[in-house]
Amino acid sequence: MMNINFSSDDEDNPIHAALKKFLIDSQIQDLKEAGKFEEAEQLALKHADLDLNAIEQEQLASGSNDENFTPDTVPEQCVSTTFDKYADNFDQHLTKKLHYAVPEIIQEKISKFTEDQFKRLLDLGCGTGLCAEATGDRALHKTGVDLSEGMLIQADEKQLYDDLYLKDVTEFLKNDWEPRWDLVIAGDTFPYLGALEDAVAGLAKNIEPNGKVIFTTETAADEVFSEKPYVMGSRGRFAHSAHYLRELLEASGFTLIEIEEVTPRFENGEPVQGLVVVAEYKGA
């Protein structure tokens, strides 16, 4: 069972609070499944004040008076700290508790749109390597990038990747890498970025002509995106509009092959609304 130990700095960060609530909810569920109902109730009562809306708290922290204020990204330290603490239990929790389907979704799209073996795979926000594991031998060389050292340690132990980088994915893509990649995947990574302009621009300059990109994100009803094409939910993750993703990719030289509604995971027994996107780079 995971232990939750956050510093005082974490308590003051509204997005940390949202992700902290996610981890505490997971621990409460673990206690219930172990039959420790009294301990689960005590933990829930202790952290009852964390049941806050992340957008409202970010608005208050920033001093913004705009009721529609949405941050553009989740801070790097917030993501790395949270997932470092989560790394040891990550695979089991996602697959057993949340019915995490992202690796299978990405693998299915790879198989659907090409029978070829790729030369080089780039896995953005690779975590412990669940998506690379699902792709099997479809790529000769695999590169993983993640902001969490704990996650990369888990991935390294699986010996799935030829190269691993401890780096924010947007910062990583600002470099001009040679050789480039002919397949880029990002499973459940973009929900932590919000604004995707820089990430997609980085993809465009680091992918081979005719190379494919396959990624998942979360989404919501169209009316949610009336003010901005991405919004942050109560658990500190972003939802993106399909229209935003389509326009952004096409403006960066990608041809959209498919965008489909999917269920990447369940939370509190309810399906999370998501999208899987497949695009091919044709050049600007």
Side-chain angles (χ1 to χ4, degrees), residues 11-15 54-64 69:
E11 298 287 356
D12 293 335
N13 187 313
I15 305 177
I55 299 176
E56 292 175 358
Q57 295 308 304
E58 177 71 10
Q59 178 182 333
L60 291 172
S62 69
S64 170
F69 172 77

Side-chain angles (χ1 to χ4, degrees), residues 21-252:
K21 183 178 186 303
F22 171 73
L23 293 183
I24 290 172
D25 286 348
S26 300
Q27 188 173 7
I28 291 169
Q29 184 63 29
D30 287 344
L31 288 169
K32 288 180 178 178
E33 292 185 3
K36 300 178 180 179
F37 299 105
E38 186 175 346
E39 291 181 38
E41 183 179 1
Q42 289 175 352
L43 185 62
L45 289 172
K46 179 180 178 182
H47 295 287
D49 61 322
L50 286 171
D51 192 14
L52 305 170
N53 183 286
I55 299 176
E56 292 175 358
Q57 295 308 304
E58 177 71 10
Q59 178 182 333
L60 291 172
S62 69
S64 170
N65 292 319
D66 182 0
E67 63 181 10
N68 296 309
F69 172 77
T70 299
D72 288 331
T73 190
V74 179
E76 290 183 24
Q77 186 181 3
C78 175
V79 176
S80 60
T81 299
T82 299
F83 285 96
D84 279 347
K85 296 174 185 296
Y86 195 19
D88 289 344
N89 301 82
F90 185 77
D91 288 8
Q92 181 179 4
H93 183 75
L94 280 182
T95 58
K96 302 298 183 184
K97 306 283 175 43
L98 303 183
H99 306 291
Y100 188 64
V102 170
E104 290 74 21
I105 290 169
I106 288 179
Q107 188 277 332
E108 188 270 332
K109 295 306 176 187
I110 292 173
S111 298
K112 179 178 179 179
F113 292 107
T114 182
E115 296 179 355
D116 300 330
Q117 188 174 44
F118 294 91
K119 293 176 295 182
R120 289 171 54 81
L121 162 69
L122 175 60
D123 188 354
L124 296 172
C126 65
T128 62
L130 289 174
C131 288
E133 212 166 7
T135 64
D137 60 358
R138 293 300 303 273
L140 296 174
H141 185 283
K142 296 179 181 179
T143 302
V145 183
D146 202 276
L147 195 55
S148 166
E149 184 176 7
M151 292 292 193
L152 291 180
I153 290 172
Q154 297 291 324
D156 188 46
E157 289 178 355
K158 295 180 181 180
Q159 298 183 334
L160 294 169
Y161 298 93
D162 299 278
D163 297 308
L164 286 169
Y165 292 89
L166 179 63
K167 192 79 173 176
D168 170 75
V169 296
T170 302
E171 290 299 316
F172 179 87
L173 291 170
K174 286 181 179 179
N175 297 319
D176 290 305
W177 294 94
E178 292 291 346
R180 298 181 180 183
W181 290 273
D182 56 344
L183 174 62
V184 181
I185 62 175
D188 210 22
T189 299
F190 289 169
Y192 296 96
L193 297 186
L196 298 178
E197 281 78 5
D198 289 345
V200 172
L203 283 174
K205 72 176 184 178
N206 283 297
I207 194 168
E208 292 275 2
N210 303 315
K212 288 186 172 62
V213 57
I214 303 173
F215 65 86
T216 64
T217 188
E218 296 181 12
T219 192
D222 289 343
E223 55 266 25
V224 172
F225 304 109
S226 60
E227 297 294 329
K228 224 172 183 180
Y230 51 89
V231 295
M232 179 179 279
S234 61
R235 290 181 179 270
R237 292 195 304 268
F238 288 94
H240 298 94
S241 79
H243 179 72
Y244 171 62
L245 299 175
R246 185 181 293 108
E247 285 199 334
L248 187 55
L249 286 164
E250 291 176 352
S252 299

